[in-house]
Amino acid sequence: MREVTMSDCDVVTERIFDAPRERVFRAFSDPSILARWWGPDGFTNTFKVFDFEPGGLWKFTMHGPDGVNYPNESVFSLIRRPERIEFDHVLGTPFKAIFAFIEQEGKTLLHWTMRFPSAETCAKLREFVTHANGENLDRLEEQLVRMDGRTPP
Protein backbone atom coordinates (compact mmCIF):
# COMPACT_ATOMS: atom_id res chain seq x y z
CA MET A 1 0.00 0.00 0.00
CA ARG A 2 1.35 3.41 -1.02
CA GLU A 3 1.67 6.11 1.63
CA VAL A 4 -0.76 9.01 1.12
CA THR A 5 1.03 12.34 0.93
CA MET A 6 -0.29 15.88 1.18
CA SER A 7 0.06 16.25 -2.59
CA ASP A 8 -2.43 13.38 -3.00
CA CYS A 9 -4.98 15.51 -1.15
CA ASP A 10 -4.05 18.88 -2.70
CA VAL A 11 -5.04 20.73 -5.85
CA VAL A 12 -2.52 23.53 -6.44
CA THR A 13 -3.13 26.46 -8.79
CA GLU A 14 -0.59 29.20 -9.44
CA ARG A 15 -0.76 32.41 -11.42
CA ILE A 16 1.43 35.50 -11.69
CA PHE A 17 -0.53 38.75 -11.77
CA ASP A 18 0.84 42.02 -13.09
CA ALA A 19 -0.27 43.80 -9.94
CA PRO A 20 1.32 44.58 -6.58
CA ARG A 21 0.71 42.11 -3.79
CA GLU A 22 -1.37 44.60 -1.78
CA ARG A 23 -3.83 45.01 -4.68
CA VAL A 24 -4.20 41.25 -5.16
CA PHE A 25 -4.69 40.77 -1.42
CA ARG A 26 -7.31 43.56 -1.41
CA ALA A 27 -9.23 41.78 -4.20
CA PHE A 28 -9.58 38.84 -1.78
CA SER A 29 -10.16 40.79 1.44
CA ASP A 30 -12.66 43.45 0.31
CA PRO A 31 -16.06 41.73 -0.01
CA SER A 32 -17.39 44.32 -2.49
CA ILE A 33 -14.51 43.43 -4.85
CA LEU A 34 -14.41 39.69 -4.09
CA ALA A 35 -18.12 39.27 -4.87
CA ARG A 36 -17.50 40.59 -8.43
CA TRP A 37 -15.03 37.89 -9.46
CA TRP A 38 -15.26 34.87 -7.13
CA GLY A 39 -16.23 31.65 -8.88
CA PRO A 40 -15.99 30.14 -12.35
CA ASP A 41 -17.25 31.83 -15.53
CA GLY A 42 -20.87 32.91 -15.44
CA PHE A 43 -21.27 32.78 -11.64
CA THR A 44 -22.44 35.66 -9.47
CA ASN A 45 -22.43 35.93 -5.69
CA THR A 46 -24.58 37.16 -2.85
CA PHE A 47 -22.55 37.62 0.33
CA LYS A 48 -24.49 37.30 3.56
CA VAL A 49 -21.61 37.41 6.08
CA PHE A 50 -17.96 38.28 5.48
CA ASP A 51 -16.18 38.56 8.81
CA PHE A 52 -12.58 38.80 7.61
CA GLU A 53 -10.64 37.79 10.70
CA PRO A 54 -9.41 34.49 12.16
CA GLY A 55 -12.47 32.59 13.35
CA GLY A 56 -14.70 34.80 11.19
CA LEU A 57 -17.50 33.42 9.05
CA TRP A 58 -17.85 33.80 5.28
CA LYS A 59 -21.36 32.83 4.23
CA PHE A 60 -22.57 33.38 0.69
CA THR A 61 -24.50 31.94 -2.22
CA MET A 62 -22.97 31.36 -5.63
CA HIS A 63 -25.56 31.72 -8.40
CA GLY A 64 -24.72 29.46 -11.34
CA PRO A 65 -25.33 30.41 -14.96
CA ASP A 66 -27.78 27.48 -15.04
CA GLY A 67 -29.96 29.19 -12.41
CA VAL A 68 -28.90 26.86 -9.58
CA ASN A 69 -27.91 28.42 -6.24
CA TYR A 70 -24.93 26.98 -4.38
CA PRO A 71 -24.79 27.88 -0.68
CA ASN A 72 -21.26 28.19 0.76
CA GLU A 73 -19.95 28.58 4.27
CA SER A 74 -16.34 28.92 5.35
CA VAL A 75 -14.44 29.93 8.46
CA PHE A 76 -11.24 31.98 8.21
CA SER A 77 -8.44 30.26 10.10
CA LEU A 78 -5.45 32.50 9.26
CA ILE A 79 -5.05 36.00 7.87
CA ARG A 80 -1.61 37.53 7.53
CA ARG A 81 -1.78 40.78 5.53
CA PRO A 82 -0.75 40.88 2.68
CA GLU A 83 0.89 37.46 2.63
CA ARG A 84 -1.61 34.70 3.37
CA ILE A 85 -5.27 33.80 3.75
CA GLU A 86 -6.55 30.41 4.90
CA PHE A 87 -10.11 29.25 5.39
CA ASP A 88 -11.96 26.02 6.00
CA HIS A 89 -14.91 25.35 3.73
CA VAL A 90 -17.44 23.71 6.04
CA LEU A 91 -20.64 23.36 4.00
CA GLY A 92 -20.82 20.62 1.39
CA THR A 93 -17.49 19.04 0.45
CA PRO A 94 -15.02 20.11 3.14
CA PHE A 95 -11.62 21.48 2.18
CA LYS A 96 -8.98 23.92 3.39
CA ALA A 97 -8.10 26.80 1.06
CA ILE A 98 -4.65 28.32 1.40
CA PHE A 99 -3.72 31.46 -0.56
CA ALA A 100 -0.11 32.66 -0.48
CA PHE A 101 0.61 36.06 -2.04
CA ILE A 102 4.27 36.20 -3.05
CA GLU A 103 5.79 39.46 -4.25
CA GLN A 104 7.94 39.15 -7.37
CA GLU A 105 9.44 42.39 -8.71
CA GLY A 106 6.20 44.38 -8.56
CA LYS A 107 4.07 41.44 -9.61
CA THR A 108 2.33 38.85 -7.46
CA LEU A 109 2.60 35.09 -7.58
CA LEU A 110 -0.59 33.63 -6.16
CA HIS A 111 -0.12 30.08 -4.87
CA TRP A 112 -3.55 28.56 -4.16
CA THR A 113 -3.86 25.17 -2.48
CA MET A 114 -7.14 23.38 -1.94
CA ARG A 115 -6.56 20.57 0.56
CA PHE A 116 -9.22 17.85 0.68
CA PRO A 117 -9.70 15.42 3.58
CA SER A 118 -8.76 12.36 1.52
CA ALA A 119 -6.87 11.40 -1.62
CA GLU A 120 -10.06 9.79 -2.95
CA THR A 121 -12.07 13.00 -2.65
CA CYS A 122 -9.25 14.96 -4.21
CA ALA A 123 -8.92 12.55 -7.13
CA LYS A 124 -12.66 12.73 -7.86
CA LEU A 125 -12.66 16.54 -7.87
CA ARG A 126 -9.18 17.35 -9.27
CA GLU A 127 -10.13 17.86 -12.93
CA PHE A 128 -13.22 19.94 -12.15
CA VAL A 129 -11.44 22.04 -9.50
CA THR A 130 -8.41 22.67 -11.70
CA HIS A 131 -10.60 23.98 -14.53
CA ALA A 132 -12.88 26.02 -12.23
CA ASN A 133 -9.90 27.58 -10.40
CA GLY A 134 -8.40 28.63 -13.73
CA GLU A 135 -11.64 30.38 -14.69
CA ASN A 136 -11.77 31.95 -11.23
CA LEU A 137 -8.27 33.39 -11.64
CA ASP A 138 -9.11 34.64 -15.15
CA ARG A 139 -11.93 36.64 -13.56
CA LEU A 140 -9.57 37.89 -10.83
CA GLU A 141 -7.11 39.04 -13.50
CA GLU A 142 -9.88 41.05 -15.20
CA GLN A 143 -10.86 42.56 -11.83
CA LEU A 144 -7.25 43.58 -11.08
CA VAL A 145 -7.09 45.37 -14.44
CA ARG A 146 -10.30 47.26 -13.55
CA MET A 147 -8.87 48.14 -10.11
CA ASP A 148 -5.86 49.61 -11.92
CA GLY A 149 -8.19 51.82 -13.99
CA ARG A 150 -7.60 49.93 -17.23
CA THR A 151 -10.15 48.21 -19.45
CA PRO A 152 -9.92 44.39 -19.50
CA PRO A 153 -9.07 42.85 -22.88
Side-chain angles (χ1 to χ4, degrees), residues 17 19-20 34 39 54 75 95-96 98 101 104 106 117 122 135:
F17 295 100
L34 181 61
V75 177
F95 62 85
K96 177 177 267 310
I98 304 163
F101 304 83
Q104 291 189 338
C122 187
E135 290 183 353

Side-chain angles (χ1 to χ4, degrees), residues 105-147:
E105 300 175 4
K107 297 182 180 186
T108 304
L109 168 63
L110 176 65
H111 182 92
W112 176 5
T113 302
M114 290 179 69
R115 182 162 294 145
F116 293 92
S118 71
E120 294 77 25
T121 300
C122 187
K124 277 195 273 184
L125 296 173
R126 184 177 302 279
E127 186 176 337
F128 168 79
V129 167
T130 299
H131 180 76
N133 287 359
E135 290 183 353
N136 207 353
L137 295 184
D138 290 344
R139 294 180 68 195
L140 170 58
E141 195 154 21
E142 291 173 7
Q143 185 61 47
L144 292 167
V145 167
R146 283 189 196 94
M147 290 170 70

Side-chain angles (χ1 to χ4, degrees), residues 7-8 14-15 25 33 35 38 55 60 68-70 73 91 93 96 99 104-105 107 113 125 134 138:
S7 62
D8 292 328
E14 286 190 328
R15 174 90 51 103
F25 190 90
I33 298 170
W38 186 255
F60 66 103
V68 176
N69 291 324
Y70 301 90
E73 192 169 311
L91 185 64
T93 302
K96 177 177 267 310
F99 298 91
Q104 291 189 338
E105 300 175 4
K107 297 182 180 186
T113 302
L125 296 173
D138 290 344

Side-chain angles (χ1 to χ4, degrees), residues 54-99:
L57 181 64
W58 178 20
K59 190 173 184 178
F60 66 103
T61 301
M62 294 177 75
H63 310 285
D66 56 0
V68 176
N69 291 324
Y70 301 90
N72 283 265
E73 192 169 311
S74 297
V75 177
F76 292 103
S77 54
L78 177 76
I79 298 170
R80 193 166 49 234
R81 291 181 185 272
E83 301 165 9
R84 193 172 186 93
I85 298 171
E86 296 183 11
F87 63 78
D88 296 301
H89 187 264
V90 296
L91 185 64
T93 302
F95 62 85
K96 177 177 267 310
I98 304 163
F99 298 91

